[in-house]
Each structure stands twice: as structure tokens, then as C-alpha cells.
Amino acid sequence: MSASSAGRPLTPGEGAVPSGTLITILDDTGTPVALPVESLSNTDRALIHAGTGEAIPIHGIHRAAPASPGFAVHIRADALAPGVPTRDLVLPPDGLVMLDDSADLVPAAALLNSASVTRTNPPDLWWTIDLGSHAVIRANGTAIGTARLPPSPDAARPHTCIPILPPGDALNDHRKRIALRAAEADLPIQANPPPPYAPQPLPKPAPPPDPITIVAAGNKITLAEPEPLAFTCTLPARTGPVRIRSTPRRAADPSDTRPFGVCLTSVKINGAHLDFAAPIFGPGFHPPETDTLTTWRWTNGDAWLVLPYSSEPRALEVVLTNWHHALATA
């Protein structure tokens, strides 16, 4: 399936695969063949995942360095269905996967389960296939989305993109099915797995004004403070993971050398509380702590909230304590 458009700049991370990923094309005789992405050219035609045998000429092959948030998603062979992928597949966190014929795409990071779909180090180089349209192609036998389209400059002829499956029952059903396949393959889900990757060091940012700064898609988000230390903002459409930045500080105990940023007591997306034990709290968060009344979680001053991609704006609410004021600046 595809959605047509004119040529346009591509967003890093969308539709990207590493070297060695096999992309299915049609050869001169019309026979499907799988070739490494780095060997493709503008004379090739990518086979569209629609069961019709349709193919679209490749407009270009683009190379890009790894994009934030500094990890990739590793989908093991047969993790999604028998023979899907045909061999291990690595995608960016915002890479889009089609899991059935529902015509909806799912961000790869939304499928993480610590067993058959896990985090891994990103490759040194990503390859992105430009078809001049938003389409679904086959990579290692898996249906993945190509780069999405920007807003059309012509309101009378809007671009069409394949829908993204939002969080909800349908996505949860996919996750349960994939987890069941992992269990059947003797890959049990771990309750508290250690991080299977080494996050790439991030440039040390200049300390922002207290207490926090929210960054999404590389842009600082305007915050409101309706109550003391309760910050709200609207995350723009077509964003995924966000960063929570604050001034790094030192613990009062000199034996604890970890950096500390701010202490969160609540995080909500569209009014729904996020579980502090969930893997959505990514690099930069210290382990959750609790007493008889409250659970909280410290950042290290530059923490990733690994939200799944959303095509719609979302309301984010973060509630802090004032405990960071008692710590010395690192």
C-alpha cells in the first residue's frame, strides 16, 4: 500500500534501516528478490506490501547518522509471526511496522518487551529509501513504513499518510500476541531486565533555568505552572520521546556519586498516570523509590521519557518535589 506525494526532505529516523537489511524489490523479470539496502539504486523498484505485486521506483537512497534517543530496536527473527522477520531486524525507535493487514502502522519502540523485541546500540549509519510517497515495503520480510510526508503546501491536494495505530486495546493485543510468541520460543519476559544496551553519551547541555525544561523533537516546549511545582505543556503532533532537563546536582551523601536533577512524584499523559516502574522511563532516570504513602523517581539532570510516537498533540503533566533545592550544584 502507498500514499502518493511529490518529492520532499526526509525526517531522520523515519523508514530507516541499517546496512545489510534485505529490501524486497522486483528484478527485470518481475521476480521478487531481496537485496541489501546499501546495494540499491534509483533503477530499482521496491515491492509494495499489499499482496498485489505492485512496485514503486526508488527515488533515492539517503544516509544519516543515528538519531535521538540514542538506541535502536532489535526485533528477533520470527518475533512478530512465523518467518517475520526472516532474520533479525534493527529499526529506529520511531521506525514504523505493519503487524497485520489493518493498514495501521506501529512505532517499533511501542513493541519493546525485553525478550523478542529489545533495545540495542544504534548502527553507525542508517539508510532511508525515498519512494516519493508514504508506503509499506518489506525489510527482512517485515512490512515497514517508509518516510512519512510533511504537510502539503496545497490545501486542495493534501498528502495522505498511512495511519498510525494509537495506544489502546488494539496495540495492547499486538503486544500480548508478540509476548506469547516470545514465551513459546522460550524467551520469557523479564520483570526487571538490565538495560541490554549502552546508551551513547549525550552532549552535556548548558544548565537550564530551574526547575525543568521539556524538549520534544529537538524543540523546547513552553511550560505552564498552574500549581507550584506542577508543570503542564502540550506536546506537538508527530512527536515521540521527550527529554526532561534540569540543573545537575550532587547528593548530600558523599559516597553517592550519582548526579541528581529533579524528583518526580507524578507524570501524566492526557490525564492518565504513567507507572514509574514502566520502561517508558528511559535513560537518565534513577530507579523508583517509595515509602508508605508516595512513590517518586529522580532524574540525573537529562532524562528520557520514551513516549511512543503520536500523530496527535498530547497533554503532558509533570509534578515535582522541591527536594532538589537541598542539593549542591554539581
Side-chain angles (χ1 to χ4, degrees):
M1 60 191 60
S2 66
S4 61
S5 169
R8 75 286 178 202
L10 300 178
T11 301
E14 295 179 2
V17 294
S19 300
T21 303
L22 299 180
I23 304 298
T24 303
I25 67 168
L26 291 186
D27 66 12
D28 293 338
T29 66
T31 303
V33 294
L35 297 178
V37 62
E38 64 270 22
S39 70
L40 300 180
S41 70
N42 290 3
T43 62
D44 292 318
R45 296 178 299 147
L47 181 65
I48 300 305
H49 182 78
T52 62
E54 178 188 0
I56 294 181
I58 294 175
H59 288 205
I61 308 293
H62 304 269
R63 296 182 294 178
S68 297
F71 69 89
V73 177
H74 178 194
I75 304 175
R76 298 186 60 166
D78 299 318
L80 307 182
V84 181
T86 54
R87 61 181 187 174
D88 288 10
L89 176 64
V90 175
L91 296 174
D94 55 354
L96 300 174
V97 181
M98 179 171 283
L99 298 174
D100 53 28
D101 293 330
S102 65
D104 287 339
L105 295 170
V106 177
L111 303 177
L112 290 167
N113 62 16
S114 303
S116 58
V117 184
T118 58
R119 298 183 185 189
T120 189
N121 290 322
D124 294 331
L125 189 68
W126 291 108
W127 297 82
T128 301
I129 300 174
D130 182 8
L131 299 180
S133 63
H134 191 210
V136 175
I137 61 176
R138 297 177 187 171
N140 289 357
T142 305
I144 69 166
T146 59
R148 290 175 293 118
L149 309 177
S152 173
D154 185 354
R157 302 178 61 186
H159 294 162
T160 302
C161 287
I162 300 168
I164 306 295
L165 185 66
D169 291 342
L171 178 57
N172 290 338
D173 288 343
H174 284 306
R175 290 174 53 85
K176 291 175 184 177
R177 177 179 57 79
I178 294 170
L180 179 60
R181 284 194 56 79
E184 291 173 346
D186 197 23
L187 294 171
I189 306 301
Q190 303 175 47
N192 293 292
Y197 74 104
Q200 292 185 332
L202 298 172
K204 185 176 181 179
D210 280 340
I212 59 171
T213 298
I214 302 293
V215 178
N219 298 314
K220 181 179 176 181
I221 305 301
T222 301
L223 296 177
E225 190 176 3
E227 298 180 11
L229 297 176
F231 297 90
T232 61
C233 66
T234 299
L235 300 178
R238 301 177 67 176
T239 58
V242 300
R243 295 170 79 170
I244 301 178
R245 288 177 168 175
S246 58
T247 301
R249 302 173 186 271
R250 299 193 304 270
D253 182 357
S255 66
D256 190 345
T257 59
R258 297 177 298 169
F260 287 84
V262 290
C263 179
L264 283 59
T265 59
S266 173
V267 179
K268 294 181 182 179
I269 291 290
N270 292 337
H273 279 282
L274 299 184
D275 183 359
F276 275 139
I280 202 168
F281 292 88
F285 278 95
H286 294 306
E289 303 174 66
T290 187
D291 59 16
T292 57
L293 299 176
T294 307
T295 298
W296 62 89
R297 196 155 184 176
W298 282 93
T299 74
N300 67 0
D302 193 4
W304 283 100
L305 193 62
V306 189
L307 299 174
Y309 168 83
S310 175
S311 59
E312 301 294 332
R314 290 175 289 185
L316 172 65
E317 177 184 307
V318 178
V319 180
L320 313 178
T321 71
N322 63 356
W323 296 348
H324 56 278
H325 291 306
L327 304 182
T329 302

